[in-house]
Amino acid sequence: MRKPFIAANWKMNKTVSETQEFISKFIPAVKDLRNVDIAIAPPFTSLIVAAENLKNTDILLSAQDVFYEEKGAYTGEISPLMLIDIGCKYVIIGHSERRQYFKETDDIVNKKIKAAKKAGIGIIFCIGETLEERESGKTFDVLQVEIEKGLSGIDDSGTIIAYEPIWAIGTGKTAATEQAQEAHSYIRERLRILFSEKADEMRIIYGGSVTPENIDALMACKDVDGALVGGASLKVESFTKIVKFGKE
Ligand code: PEP
């Protein structure tokens, strides 16, 4: 019922020519795949060339961040309209690296989500707890606050939620399937409070050291509807294996 959604988050990796090289190999590798939505989020500098190279394919282009104003004196920032203008279909908002290194608060994340919604771009909204929060039993409290604040004032259910336990990002530590399922099921419960039965159509994807080796087990969890993949999305071979989960 919920079509899997798997996105590559390249973070601050790949030049324009590396982007072109990846896409030229990736398109033929996944051309017959119909049962999964695939998105690629290259750095801003590669978006235009990625948009050109992905034309006439079903692979969706995503940005890694966006600012909440439409235009104006905001040096260094990119607006939702600019992303739409070049063919972006999605944008990642609230990634823990943005929260940690660039001090993005729940309030800023909420403004970005509202601005992206208004412009009509799809959202991959990241939430997740630190190791300390998990070990002190606060995981659900953290998720509840991030969901409530991040989605405050949002009345449609089109957003994709990425559950990314911060302790699992880039660390090689993946959440056990039980931990992932438990968190995803809790997130869906909270979404039901906001969006009633529409929450059952919302995709909740998992992020945190996803690899070709662990994707099958994660995708077998009832409430895991896809993945946000960092490190393992940088190589065509490993990302192809991930989007072809359950096949080999
Ligand atoms: C991410 O940053 O979204 C991520 C999940 O990274 P990694 O797969 O490298 O842990």
Side-chain angles (χ1 to χ4, degrees):
M1 154 179 104
R2 295 183 295 265
K3 189 174 184 187
F5 184 98
I6 299 187
N9 175 14
W10 286 353
K11 312 190 184 189
M12 198 171 70
N13 291 291
K14 293 200 191 289
T15 60
V16 166
S17 62
E18 287 166 345
T19 299
Q20 282 173 308
E21 193 190 339
F22 181 105
I23 292 176
S24 68
K25 291 183 182 150
F26 186 63
I27 290 173
V30 299
K31 75 174 184 330
D32 297 325
L33 224 48
R34 296 277 170 274
N35 61 337
V36 55
D37 286 333
I38 303 170
I40 296 180
F44 284 130
T45 46
S46 285
L47 283 175
I48 291 190
V49 80
E52 280 161 10
N53 285 262
L54 293 175
K55 232 180 234 163
N56 305 321
T57 75
D58 294 329
I59 301 166
L60 302 156
L61 184 63
S62 173
Q64 298 176 16
D65 185 31
V66 69
F67 192 53
Y68 49 74
E69 295 292 347
E70 278 179 22
K71 60 180 172 181
Y74 303 102
T75 303
E77 295 297 330
I78 301 286
S79 77
L81 290 177
M82 290 169 178
L83 295 181
I84 290 199
D85 186 41
I86 58 150
C88 271
K89 303 286 186 242
Y90 279 90
V91 59
I92 298 170
I93 297 180
H95 192 282
S96 60
E97 286 154 13
R98 304 264 351 140
R99 294 179 192 255
Q100 184 185 349
Y101 301 126
F102 305 98
K103 308 289 169 245
E104 283 193 12
T105 60
D106 290 322
D107 181 46
I108 293 172
V109 169
N110 178 246
K111 282 180 165 169
K112 290 184 172 190
I113 291 178
K114 282 181 173 154
K117 280 266 172 227
K118 188 170 164 216
I121 189 161
I123 292 153
I124 304 168
F125 166 40
C126 302
I127 55 175
E129 80 286 359
T130 61
L131 186 57
E132 200 188 338
E133 287 161 345
R134 173 161 283 270
E135 286 178 344
S136 54
K138 294 196 186 120
T139 298
F140 289 171
D141 296 342
V142 170
L143 297 178
Q144 179 185 343
V145 169
E146 286 184 334
I147 292 167
E148 278 173 11
K149 292 194 171 170
L151 296 179
S152 162
I154 301 294
D155 55 13
D156 85 278
S157 55
T159 302
I160 292 175
I161 313 290
Y163 169 60
E164 298 209 303
I166 296 168
W167 48 272
I169 296 180
T171 57
K173 287 185 202 158
T174 321
T177 48
E178 302 76 45
Q179 289 173 317
Q181 171 54 30
E182 182 185 47
H184 281 231
S185 153
Y186 176 76
I187 292 166
R188 201 173 303 286
E189 247 175 62
R190 302 307 311 180
L191 294 175
R192 277 197 197 105
I193 294 169
L194 297 176
F195 303 108
S196 342
E197 72 278 5
K198 285 265 177 215
D200 290 309
E201 291 161 26
M202 291 176 75
R203 291 181 286 191
I204 307 172
I205 64 177
Y206 170 82
S209 299
V210 173
T211 62
E213 288 71 42
N214 59 30
I215 185 72
D216 286 358
L218 287 162
M219 291 305 292
C221 298
K222 182 171 159 277
D223 287 290
V224 174
D225 305 314
L228 182 54
V229 189
S233 73
L234 293 171
K235 294 226 163 70
V236 174
E237 200 196 357
S238 52
F239 192 52
T240 301
K241 283 187 181 155
I242 289 171
V243 298
K244 290 187 173 172
F245 65 93
K247 291 210 188 332
E248 280 155 32

